[in-house]
Amino acid sequence: MELLKDKFGRKFPYIRLSITDVCNFKCGYCLPNGFKIDKSDNRTFLSLEEIKRLAKGLSELGVSKIRLTGGEPTIRKDFYEIVKVIKNSSGINKTVITTNGYKLDKFAEQLVESGLDGINISIDSLDKNKFHKITGHDRLNEILNGIEKLQKLNFKNIKINAVLLKGVNSNDKDFQQWSNYIKSNQVEFRYIELMQTGDNLDYFKKYHISSKVFTDFLIKNDWIIQTLGIDAGPSKNYINPEFKGKFGIIAPYSKDFCKSCNRLRITSRGDLRLCLFGNTGINIRHLIQRDDQTEELKDLILKQLNFKKESHYLELGETGLTNNLSVTGG
Ligand code: SAM
Ligand code: SF4
């Protein structure tokens, strides 16, 4: 089997696949005015059949994990069918999702039944009012209840992500609230540093803060950094034997962040993106129209990997094709 590998020796067992750009939330850093149809691009989102062929081709290239994202992936009417088709007929070992947790209290059972292997839920604050202010929705309780339901159903792989925002969710009181939460909940909570995108420069300037404030809190409170496995993701994790859960930090502006990059992205309309912030994005959709195109598809993806750059150059203010992360799925 020819495996996905780039010229810097990085391997890619992991794909993030956006299945829709549509989202019902209005997160200030992503879609502050809500989702708007992009009139310059009238292509439809990938269909179930196209996703099935794509997943099969990717698994033959050694991809073992697909993360479904968006927009809000659970908004798609055929969302559970997508999970099932990837799980049951593509050869991919793990199917996971990133979601805003909308109606999670209602969906929890169906999610577990679909065979999903893991869920990342975005919760920017445990303070109801702050949550409302950041996302435009007063839905914190239904999300927390949803997590409780997942736990009761013995669903194990739960992660929570929050974007760290200066003066909003970045003080010791916020950190302490999360500490209390993961003391008794076996979930991994990670802060992600706010990233600059094509659309959010003013927001970025106002709210970006280095994750050092959180690292300082962790060190002060006896959290110990966990050594990373070979296929570890971008998160630096911290453990403490007194707690059921773990903490993590995703700091895209840190030195060497790109060295451990093990992911490629595919947009909801079938563009392969080599980097979240890259300027290259070729369309691979024409090669998932028929079952007999798998070899051609694999060949094209392998060739494209030669163009993956060593770093995202975000620190130079380069945001590439990314206007906001609802298109590429974060
Ligand atoms: N709607 C789903 C959600 O919010 O989880 C999935 C898509 S969302 C684009 C994926 C992740 O990207 C979320 O955790 C979100 O907080 C994060 N995100 C979006 N814009 C970001 C930005 N500018 N900087 C850092 N993280 C961002
Ligand atoms: Fe929607 Fe996720 Fe973007 Fe928030 S971060 S607006 S939930 S796509």
Side-chain angles (χ1 to χ4, degrees):
M1 191 197 294
E2 203 163 355
L3 294 183
L4 289 176
K5 203 170 168 185
D6 73 1
K7 52 185 193 232
F8 305 101
R10 295 174 297 195
K11 292 187 192 131
F12 299 90
Y14 180 14
I15 298 278
R16 294 181 79 106
L17 172 62
S18 173
I19 55 173
T20 179
D21 296 354
V22 180
C23 186
N24 52 343
F25 276 26
K26 295 180 179 176
C27 302
Y29 43 79
C30 183
L31 295 174
N33 303 314
F35 170 74
K36 298 269 182 310
I37 293 170
D38 176 2
K39 291 197 177 120
S40 67
D41 192 345
N42 60 7
R43 295 175 296 166
T44 54
F45 301 131
L46 293 176
S47 70
L48 182 67
E49 275 299 303
E50 288 172 319
I51 292 172
K52 182 177 161 189
R53 293 188 192 110
L54 179 60
K56 181 165 180 288
L58 291 169
S59 84
E60 289 182 18
L61 284 170
V63 171
S64 57
K65 177 167 158 188
I66 290 188
R67 173 171 303 284
L68 298 176
T69 174
E72 176 47 39
T74 61
I75 271 187
R76 261 185 79 146
K77 291 211 168 62
D78 55 356
F79 171 73
Y80 296 98
E81 281 169 76
I82 295 175
V83 174
K84 282 184 196 156
V85 99
I86 299 177
K87 286 288 308 171
N88 301 331
S89 41
S90 71
I92 298 285
N93 292 337
K94 281 196 177 157
T95 310
V96 297
I97 62 164
T98 300
T99 172
N100 62 24
Y102 162 77
K103 288 197 178 160
L104 187 58
D105 54 348
K106 305 244 167 16
F107 296 151
E109 229 157 77
Q110 221 176 332
L111 269 180
V112 176
E113 274 165 17
S114 70
L116 194 76
D117 296 287
I119 185 166
N120 284 13
I121 305 159
S122 306
I123 305 179
D124 289 330
S125 174
L126 277 176
D127 176 305
K128 201 169 168 301
N129 295 328
K130 287 186 185 181
F131 181 92
H132 190 170
K133 212 167 150 204
I134 300 168
T135 62
H137 279 260
D138 183 12
R139 291 185 175 271
L140 179 63
N141 279 344
E142 75 185 37
I143 301 171
L144 294 177
N145 289 340
I147 294 178
E148 227 179 287
K149 280 207 174 152
L150 286 176
Q151 287 170 326
K152 281 197 183 126
L153 293 164
N154 209 19
F155 189 84
K156 291 272 185 283
N157 190 1
I158 304 175
K159 292 180 185 153
I160 298 177
N161 295 328
V163 179
L164 184 65
L165 301 168
K166 183 162 71 183
V168 179
N169 62 4
S170 63
N171 65 34
D172 275 15
K173 200 172 151 213
D174 298 296
F175 303 157
Q176 197 52 54
Q177 257 182 336
W178 283 114
S179 267
N180 298 343
Y181 185 81
I182 65 167
K183 182 117 195 177
S184 54
N185 282 289
Q186 198 191 339
V187 302
E188 204 176 303
F189 171 83
R190 299 102 56 95
Y191 266 120
I192 311 173
E193 275 181 6
L194 175 64
M195 290 181 265
Q196 184 190 329
T197 62
D199 283 348
N200 77 1
L201 183 60
D202 290 344
Y203 192 96
F204 177 82
K205 280 190 189 148
K206 191 165 170 196
Y207 293 114
H208 178 263
I209 181 172
S210 158
S211 53
K212 189 177 175 302
V213 282
F214 186 52
T215 319
D216 291 347
F217 170 87
L218 293 177
I219 292 169
K220 207 165 62 195
N221 289 284
D222 302 326
W223 287 81
I224 304 152
I225 193 156
Q226 202 176 21
T227 34
L228 296 174
I230 300 168
D231 283 332
S235 171
K236 262 192 194 154
N237 288 338
Y238 289 79
I239 46 173
N240 184 327
E242 310 272 311
F243 290 71
K244 280 197 175 166
K246 276 185 203 172
F247 272 132
I249 298 176
I250 301 178
Y253 292 92
S254 66
K255 190 176 145 284
D256 292 344
F257 179 76
C258 300
K259 274 198 182 147
S260 63
C261 179
N262 62 356
R263 60 199 59 204
L264 299 174
R265 293 178 160 79
I266 297 172
T267 69
S268 56
R269 294 179 172 94
D271 291 331
L272 173 71
R273 294 272 174 90
L274 300 174
C275 170
L276 181 51
F277 293 99
N279 278 308
T280 36
I282 59 142
N283 196 270
I284 54 175
R285 194 168 190 173
H286 58 292
L287 296 179
I288 47 176
Q289 299 311 309
R290 296 190 318 269
D291 288 343
D292 64 2
Q293 290 176 300
T294 314
E295 289 309 313
E296 250 183 295
L297 171 73
K298 283 157 57 182
D299 207 44
L300 179 64
I301 297 175
L302 281 170
K303 285 200 181 106
Q304 275 303 305
L305 261 191
N306 291 325
F307 298 109
K308 185 163 164 77
K309 290 189 196 163
E310 192 168 11
S311 164
H312 52 38
Y313 306 112
L314 253 188
E315 66 283 6
L316 305 178
E318 280 198 22
T319 56
L321 293 170
T322 304
N323 284 335
N324 60 66
L325 299 197
S326 77
V327 176
T328 33

